[in-house]
Amino acid sequence: MIHIDNGIKLEYVSAGLFSTEQQWIHPRRTIDSYEIIYVTQGKVYIEEGGREYALSRGDALLLLPGALHTGSRPSDGTTEFFWVHFITDDIGFFGLDKITSCEGDYITLNLFRELLHIANTNAMPDYAKDLSCGSIIAHLASKGKNNEAAPTAFTKISEWVRMNIRRDMKVSDLADIFGYNKTYIS
């Protein structure tokens, strides 16, 4: 467990990656922790508190402790999502939206991968899991803010450039890769 500003507690509980190529429906359950589901493939249909959510690739959903949630209908086939359970004494502090769209955001995907790596590495201390979980929460909260976020094209291109910084590249190369006019990218 870690303590954040004003003594607010955050504790990682568990995480995983669910993947199936078969038709699937979320089980009916009530949990005692918060859960974030981040869809990477297919559709996930969940109902919580009488409200149905149809999640697609790039959607993250916050499920509340003590609230019954269940699949509202079967998936269409291939389904994959990351999930993380955590406990906090003040969810409002984080400013998470119920649903956050992260389509095309490599950072969200990498944060979930990193959390699973940390959670499954025996040599990692527990606080590393808490911090990694906190990074996911902070990132999702920042994605939900309407604070002049960078356009998706800019995000994709800048991430590609960051990952390929050692390559000899020109604006015209980026235009060809991403299908934009080189003047637009400039």
Side-chain angles (χ1 to χ4, degrees), residues 31-46:
I31 54 177
D32 59 358
S33 61
Y34 291 92
E35 180 180 7
I36 295 173
I37 292 175
Y38 174 64
V39 180
T40 56
Q41 279 190 342
K43 282 218 175 245
V44 176
Y45 302 97
I46 294 184

Side-chain angles (χ1 to χ4, degrees), residues 86-102:
F86 62 96
I87 297 169
T88 183
D89 53 353
D90 185 1
I91 193 68
F93 169 81
F94 299 100
L96 280 173
D97 290 337
K98 186 69 174 165
I99 294 183
T100 305
S101 178
C102 304

Side-chain angles (χ1 to χ4, degrees), residues 8 16 29 36-37 46 48 51 62-64 73 79-80 88 96-98 119 132 135 141 145 173:
I8 294 168
R29 54 191 276 188
I36 295 173
I37 292 175
I46 294 184
E48 180 190 50
R51 182 161 180 210
L62 173 65
L63 295 170
L64 305 177
R73 65 185 217 200
T79 304
E80 183 178 272
T88 183
L96 280 173
D97 290 337
K98 186 69 174 165
S132 184
S135 291
K145 301 297 175 242
D173 297 334

Side-chain angles (χ1 to χ4, degrees), residues 6-175:
N6 303 321
I8 294 168
K9 299 173 193 165
L10 175 65
E11 182 178 0
Y12 162 87
V13 175
S14 60
L17 174 63
F18 175 83
S19 183
T20 184
E21 293 183 14
Q22 307 297 317
Q23 197 175 49
W24 172 84
I25 189 166
H26 196 285
R28 181 181 178 94
R29 54 191 276 188
T30 302
I31 54 177
D32 59 358
S33 61
Y34 291 92
E35 180 180 7
I36 295 173
I37 292 175
Y38 174 64
V39 180
T40 56
Q41 279 190 342
K43 282 218 175 245
V44 176
Y45 302 97
I46 294 184
E47 181 181 313
E48 180 190 50
R51 182 161 180 210
E52 184 179 338
Y53 301 94
L55 307 172
S56 299
R57 179 183 177 144
D59 289 339
L61 174 68
L62 173 65
L63 295 170
L64 305 177
L68 174 67
H69 63 272
T70 186
S72 57
R73 65 185 217 200
S75 66
D76 302 326
T78 300
T79 304
E80 183 178 272
F81 61 86
F82 287 95
W83 54 270
V84 59
H85 290 262
F86 62 96
I87 297 169
T88 183
D89 53 353
D90 185 1
I91 193 68
F93 169 81
F94 299 100
L96 280 173
D97 290 337
K98 186 69 174 165
I99 294 183
T100 305
S101 178
C102 304
E103 176 60 33
D105 178 21
Y106 303 107
I107 295 170
T108 305
L109 182 62
N110 287 332
L111 287 171
F112 273 98
R113 287 178 177 159
E114 179 179 295
L115 173 61
L116 289 185
H117 171 73
I118 290 169
N120 293 312
T121 302
N122 291 335
M124 288 288 188
D126 286 341
Y127 70 83
K129 298 169 195 173
D130 298 332
L131 292 169
S132 184
C133 179
S135 291
I136 290 171
I137 293 167
H139 180 71
L140 291 176
S142 73
K143 295 290 287 179
K145 301 297 175 242
N146 214 354
N147 57 359
E148 306 210 12
T152 303
F154 175 78
T155 303
K156 287 179 183 178
I157 293 168
S158 63
E159 181 66 11
W160 189 91
V161 168
R162 188 183 72 77
M163 297 299 290
N164 295 280
I165 195 69
R166 298 200 188 284
R167 281 184 165 181
D168 182 28
M169 65 182 97
K170 299 176 186 134
V171 173
S172 58
D173 297 334
L174 293 172

